[in-house]
Amino acid sequence: MRAGMLALTVVLILLEWPGVQPPTEPKAWTEPVTVKGYVCDPARPTSGGHLAFVVCTSGGDGHLPARIRATLDGEASRHRISGGVVLEARLNPPRAPLNAGGGGFEQWLWRERIGAIARVRSMEPAPEFCGLACHYHAARIGLIHRLNRHGQRLRNPELVEALLFGSRAGLKQEHWGRLDATGTQHLVAISGLHVGLVAAIAGAVLGAPITRAAHRRPAMGRMIAFVLVGLVATGYALLAGLTVPTQRALVMVAVAGWMLASGRQWRLWDGWLMALMMVVVLEPRALWGPGFWLSFGAVACLILGLGARLRSPGAVSGLVLAQFAVVAGLAPLLLWHGMAPSGVAFAVNLVAIPWLSVVVMPVILVAAPLLLLHPASASWVLPGVDMAVTVLWSFLGWAQQWAFELPVPAPGTALVGAALVLCAMLPVGWPYRLLAGAVLGLVPLAGHQPVAPVGSAHEVRVADGVGGPVVVIRDGAWTVLFDGREPGSRTRAITRDRIGAWLDTLGISVIDQLVLGDPDMDPQQYWVSPRLPDVRRVIQAPACTLEQHTGRGRITLSGMAAGGQCSLLLRSGERTALLAGPVDRRGERRILRELGKGREVDLLMAPRGGQGRSSQLGFIEALSPSVSVLAPPDWYQGEAGAPALERYENAATRVLFTPRTGELRLLPEEGGWRVDPARDCGQKVRLC
């Protein structure tokens, strides 16, 4: 049986492996289309102030994907977006900004089987397209709306919504910041902990009396209790949306319940393997998400740490041992997925998990019918729910003050440390445990993993989806960053978050020179943050002149002031590149005059990313670039956000449009510029 389950699991994994599937290019829609379907996921606010939700199409139009992620402008309430709808929208392939170390949102789109993203132009209700599945999703969204309406006096209604309905649409950035800092993100994600608690409560209320009453036929009593507890757990999973993580938790709890109800003595690893196989059968793409590995990894750590004991530890000892096993065992997986473990996660979870299990979840589940029934009945239970949740949230806020990230060890060091902790928890005797503890104390002395630079030491990289042209130039240990964007309301947040993560992945801890193309780009406002590398020298647009030359190794840079904006001229051997700042038509003419007769370049970074009336045809023809790069300010507008794209495509130049290619790595070679687009690094971006 084990061999069969393993073989079937491996086959299902291989069917979703990138090398097995033929590469497919997402379909492009050139004109707005009419989408008929229903809302199958609650709407949630985006960072841009819009509302995003998932529409499941009715199936009548074969040319439309089954699931579409739609974005709606305006001030509509997120709770009012439900039921059958008819949309007029422009569809785009399911892509997102892709840089080194990124691609998480695009991976999520692929895992959720979303075939297109849409910018909604108009939306009208259409009850005629609402079937059974539509009524289920509409009822769930209606219950979430009722909870928010009845629980207006709750201090943390977003947490109650997440714990009861599995909807994290209401959580804001400050919520995620506190959860990330304390290592408690799993508390608001419907997991085996939540479904297992519901099953345990149902087993105590329903299962135990039935098994005692059926003492003459214990097998029948166990099966009846298993069915009833399974129905309760399934009802809670339906209330939580029956998403892929919820399905995974339900399967694991169902397998554990079946092992108890069957009356046989199962090996724990048999149940673990059976649950793994069933999850892969239900959704093969689940294994490409970190939640799959963290869930089954946590259960595997618990089996390794607690499964080989002849006598069960006490409640307190079991909780401490379980936390040791999970925190140590999951550290390598967290590092593999780019998540730094929190230094206070172990201590915080020792308090947060029991409080959630014993107080918060039972109170919410018991109070849920009264909360949803009527405002008058909700007022009876609101104080108790509010107190239980607020105590937990206040404790996490207090712990956040002491939070710190653990140093990132080398992969081998993390694996050795996890193995030593798990081995020390086995029933091997105290001498062996002390020896393992002593060796574990020497592990930090092995040194930490240095951040390895990605790519070549002599290269040019163009970021994707960062609000305009941003270029990194590296020549050995010397690094220059050129920011050719215009300042805006979202520029600072994009710089801090997206560009900071990108530079960290590239292994850039120090920027030798930061060149700002726009005179209004204040370096103190836009480039000072703990998430950004240290900047040794800033060159601002007014001081960017041809007299300033910087040469290192192969690459030589020259500053060029035109119309108050700064552009860079890069030379590497016989290769020449012009990185244009945010210049207008007059600035383009000044650049041509500054270049003089030898104005031809091999590589051109388009001014303003091709936006507006920049990049006139005469400017392009005069430079005659062999390669042209366009990084538009608004990534999600696509070609509409870069009107100059058509002029570049009509010219005799190779056009690289970053929304199509992702981040670009450009290497100067004798035969021209070698181009490595990020989107070519793996099928469906799963291996980027």
Side-chain angles (χ1 to χ4, degrees), residues 18 25 31 60 63 71 93 160 166 172 177 253 392 428 542 554 571 574 584 603-604 653:
E25 183 66 19
E31 299 294 334
H63 66 284
T71 304
V160 180
K172 302 179 177 62
V253 171
L392 174 63
V428 293
R554 301 182 186 179
R571 291 184 176 90
E574 298 181 355
D584 53 13
L603 173 67
L604 171 63
T653 178

Side-chain angles (χ1 to χ4, degrees), residues 211 218-223 226 255-267:
T211 52
M220 180 182 295
R222 290 195 302 268
M223 292 308 299
F226 168 72
V255 170
W258 171 256
M259 293 174 65
L260 293 173
S262 63
R264 296 179 54 190
Q265 190 170 1
W266 292 76
R267 290 187 177 93

Side-chain angles (χ1 to χ4, degrees), residues 615-629:
S615 300
Q616 294 301 302
L617 187 59
F619 176 73
I620 303 173
E621 292 177 346
L623 295 175
S624 301
S626 57
V627 179
S628 299
V629 179

Side-chain angles (χ1 to χ4, degrees), residues 141-367:
I141 295 173
L143 290 176
I144 295 175
H145 178 43
R146 180 173 292 188
L147 171 66
N148 284 267
R149 192 172 66 247
H150 293 177
Q152 293 180 356
R153 289 187 294 167
L154 289 172
R155 283 172 281 185
N156 300 282
E158 303 88 358
L159 298 177
V160 180
E161 177 182 335
L163 294 172
L164 182 59
F165 294 101
S167 170
R168 294 177 286 178
L171 296 178
K172 302 179 177 62
Q173 190 63 37
E174 53 267 26
H175 293 102
W176 290 114
R178 184 174 298 185
L179 294 170
D180 291 340
T182 55
T184 52
Q185 307 96 322
H186 62 94
L187 297 182
V188 295
I190 299 300
S191 61
L193 173 65
H194 302 78
V195 181
L197 284 173
V198 173
I201 294 173
V205 175
L206 300 175
I210 291 176
T211 52
R212 284 197 297 267
H215 60 279
R216 294 184 178 180
R217 295 186 176 180
M220 180 182 295
R222 290 195 302 268
M223 292 308 299
I224 294 175
F226 168 72
V227 171
L228 291 178
V229 173
L231 289 175
V232 174
T234 303
Y236 177 69
L238 289 171
L239 199 65
L242 206 62
T243 57
V244 172
T246 308
Q247 294 175 21
R248 180 170 61 241
L250 182 62
V251 166
M252 297 176 76
V253 171
V255 170
W258 171 256
M259 293 174 65
L260 293 173
S262 63
R264 296 179 54 190
Q265 190 170 1
W266 292 76
R267 290 187 177 93
L268 294 177
W269 288 111
D270 290 342
W272 184 86
L273 182 59
M274 187 184 302
L276 177 69
M277 184 200 70
M278 293 179 65
V279 169
V280 174
V281 168
L282 289 174
E283 182 47 77
R285 297 188 182 187
L287 60 93
W288 293 103
F292 175 89
W293 299 102
L294 295 177
S295 295
F296 282 98
V299 177
C301 292
L302 293 176
I303 294 175
L304 288 171
L306 303 175
R309 298 175 179 272
L310 296 177
R311 185 175 59 185
S312 176
V316 177
S317 300
L319 179 63
V320 174
L321 291 174
Q323 285 302 304
F324 263 114
V326 172
V327 171
L330 292 186
L333 284 175
L334 290 173
L335 296 175
W336 176 263
H337 289 284
M339 295 179 283
S342 172
V344 298
F346 175 79
V348 171
N349 280 286
L350 282 178
V351 178
I353 290 180
W355 183 261
L356 180 79
S357 306
V358 178
V359 179
V360 177
M361 285 303 297
V363 168
I364 289 178
L365 293 174
V366 171

